[in-house]
Amino acid sequence: MLLAGCSFCYSQANNNFVLVPAGKYTIGKKGYLTNPLRTVQVDSFSIAPYETTNRQFEAFVKATHYQTDAERRHDALVFEPGLKEFEWISDTTAYWRYPNGKSRGGIEKEMDHPVTCISYHDIMAYCTWAGVRLPSLEEWEIACRAGTTTDYFFGDSGAFIGQYANVWHGRDHMMADTMDGHMYTAPVGSFKPNAWGLYDMYGNVFEFCTGKLLPDEGNTLAHARGGSWWCSKNACNFFNSYDIGRVNIRASFSNQGFRVVKMKKGKG
Amino acid sequence: MKKILISCLLIISSCGGKKHAMGVAKTGQNDNKTFVTAESLDAEPPYGLEKVRKMLTIKKGDLLNYASMNDTAYASLSLRERFTYHMINPEQYAQTCTIYFPKDDEYKQIAAQLPRISEGFTWGERQWKFFSTNRDSVIALMEECIKKESKVGLNFKRVIEYLDAKEIIPLLVNTYNNGRNDHGLLTVLMLLMKEGKYAPFLATQLYQKLYANENASYKSNTKFNSENERFIVELATSYHHATTN
């Protein structure tokens, strides 16, 4: 317990968590069967304003000598321009230090970018070490919406997404897109936050959450939200407040990451 | 219409299609539930099906194992058995947004794109290569299955799109006309015309709306009605004539 507390202080330094008060919140979208419009009651929780960075994950690896799924299984999936929509390529050299494979460069100069190429399983290990947890599906949406009930926390039109999120602006993924200065991830906090001061809720990386969409959903699948640098309005269009993605808990993609929620005292 | 749809679901279920978890159980709209379930069914080819299933002793999603059959086991399969293997066992992790988010009015729509459905897996490099390298055989095997079952599984539809198998259009049209409830077949017909850059289709408002419009996405759709239905079928038939004559 003491160790977990110390490592938490180290890994989450300068990360002023945003307190979301307990209460009833409206989430979901009308007509969506798996995330219907509804009111939920939640306890208060404190969520990180930024996605977890390479620097924070490195601290975990240095302290624990943890090897990620991608390092042990050599089955990470990476992206390069020229792939058809929704296609990724397997790269046995890819892991969090080389999220798109060694040939595409490392993260040495990107320590303030979100950590990627990690699996849900890896994230659980990080959270245990750091004494934090992932937000639930409901908590993530409440934090993202920041009191709004529109499709985006800035309204119903996605026209201004570029001000708030690192997303793919190209028509497809055949050509590189650096229109916003970033083809892959951007440093956390590079774009405008939502009304509660949370950055990158849309885009940059998909953020894993806990919870299931269906009671009978298998335990090999996890959910993530908010879209990523890969997502475009012409492809998945997942950078919004209501969509919920799904991926294998051992899968490592270079557009998957996470942000954390503080553990309450006595629940660590 | 409702009775027809429910009957069709019963027929589809008896053919042994593999259903993906769709999250539709709570809807009170039986028409939509039936439609979404039917549209998400994968075909299970009969060629060595039991043999392939037995060889897949590594359960997909197991914490320490992979989903793919090892090279030695794979090499022992005949072409037909490999066809079955690939159709029933995607090998590669699917990215997070490869998920179908059904809405409560799907049965009233014709989608621009086939739904991206996965249980966490999609086809990998070896599998796409198999489909393209054995294009003619894969199409012939799909034709055989479609004629026998009078339905086209979602996995078949995706391979038809991938292979740009326009030669199969008459069979798709006949199959559609048998039940006229598989809107996914209309989607495939449109995708084939789009891929073939068929000028009469590219000139339509439908094409503009579903594929060319600035905001066209994988979620785009158009209304399902007899007019759109007839239009797509007739145009696809003309496209087939134009490409074969």
Side-chain angles (χ1 to χ4, degrees), chain A residues 30-35 69 72-75 77 84-90 171 206 208 213-216 219-225 228 230-238 240 242-253 255-256, chain B residues 20-29 32-33 36 60-67 92-106 116-122 125 128 158 162 195 210-219:
Chain A
K30 189 180 178 186
Y32 269 58
L33 299 177
T34 37
N35 189 17
D69 274 337
R72 290 183 294 106
R73 299 158 67 97
H74 306 289
D75 61 357
L77 289 151
K84 288 183 178 176
E85 299 298 65
F86 296 96
E87 280 188 13
W88 290 69
I89 46 177
S90 180
R171 177 79 198 193
F206 267 107
F208 277 105
L213 285 180
L214 300 168
D216 59 347
N219 59 6
T220 58
L221 293 170
H223 296 287
R225 307 193 64 169
S228 73
W230 182 93
C231 302
S232 73
K233 69 175 182 181
N234 302 116
C236 71
N237 201 14
F238 257 50
N240 57 56
Y242 52 88
D243 272 328
I244 301 174
R246 182 170 65 178
V247 72
N248 187 282
I249 61 168
R250 294 282 179 163
S252 304
F253 283 82
N255 68 339
Q256 287 178 181
Chain B
H20 295 281
M22 302 299 303
V24 296
K26 287 182 181 174
T27 178
Q29 298 184 39
N32 199 58
K33 182 180 175 183
V36 171
K60 201 186 298 182
D62 272 5
L63 296 185
L64 296 174
N65 291 314
Y66 294 86
Q92 183 173 292
Y93 292 130
Q95 74 158 321
T96 312
C97 47
T98 311
I99 180 172
Y100 180 33
F101 235 137
K103 296 183 283 295
D104 60 10
D105 55 356
E106 300 273 313
R116 257 52 188 176
I117 304 175
S118 81
E119 298 302 310
F121 289 87
T122 187
E125 199 175 329
W128 291 120
R158 289 196 62 205
Y162 175 72
E195 184 63 26
L210 296 184
Y211 305 106
N213 182 290
E214 188 198 350
N215 292 317
S217 78
Y218 275 69
K219 294 176 180 174

Side-chain angles (χ1 to χ4, degrees), chain A residues 65-144:
Chain A
H65 305 289
Y66 181 82
Q67 274 203 314
T68 58
D69 274 337
E71 287 168 274
R72 290 183 294 106
R73 299 158 67 97
H74 306 289
D75 61 357
L77 289 151
V78 306
F79 173 81
E80 65 179 9
L83 292 171
K84 288 183 178 176
E85 299 298 65
F86 296 96
E87 280 188 13
W88 290 69
I89 46 177
S90 180
D91 189 323
T92 57
T93 70
Y95 69 105
W96 70 275
R97 285 193 186 278
Y98 298 93
N100 284 287
K102 287 193 172 176
S103 64
R104 296 176 190 87
I107 55 152
E108 302 84 9
K109 294 178 181 174
E110 298 177 347
M111 298 310 285
D112 57 347
H113 286 228
V115 61
T116 66
C117 212
I118 43 164
S119 68
Y120 180 84
H121 175 252
D122 298 327
I123 293 167
M124 289 294 105
Y126 173 90
C127 286
T128 301
W129 171 77
V132 293
R133 66 175 175 85
L134 291 178
S136 68
L137 289 167
E138 292 78 15
E139 286 172 338
W140 186 93
E141 185 166 333
I142 290 165
C144 176

Side-chain angles (χ1 to χ4, degrees), chain B residues 24-93:
Chain B
V24 296
K26 287 182 181 174
T27 178
Q29 298 184 39
N30 288 335
D31 285 349
N32 199 58
K33 182 180 175 183
T34 304
F35 173 79
V36 171
T37 304
E39 290 286 299
S40 65
L41 280 171
D42 275 346
E44 292 189 320
Y47 317 113
L49 182 59
E50 290 311 311
K51 175 184 172 182
V52 170
R53 277 182 176 154
K54 280 180 186 169
M55 290 174 75
L56 285 169
T57 52
I58 300 172
K59 191 180 175 188
K60 201 186 298 182
D62 272 5
L63 296 185
L64 296 174
N65 291 314
Y66 294 86
S68 58
M69 186 180 280
N70 67 51
D71 290 343
T72 308
Y74 181 75
S76 73
L77 298 179
S78 68
L79 187 140
R80 284 175 170 243
E81 289 164 345
R82 288 181 189 184
F83 172 77
T84 297
Y85 167 73
H86 292 308
M87 283 296 178
I88 69 169
N89 193 67
E91 294 178 338
Q92 183 173 292
Y93 292 130

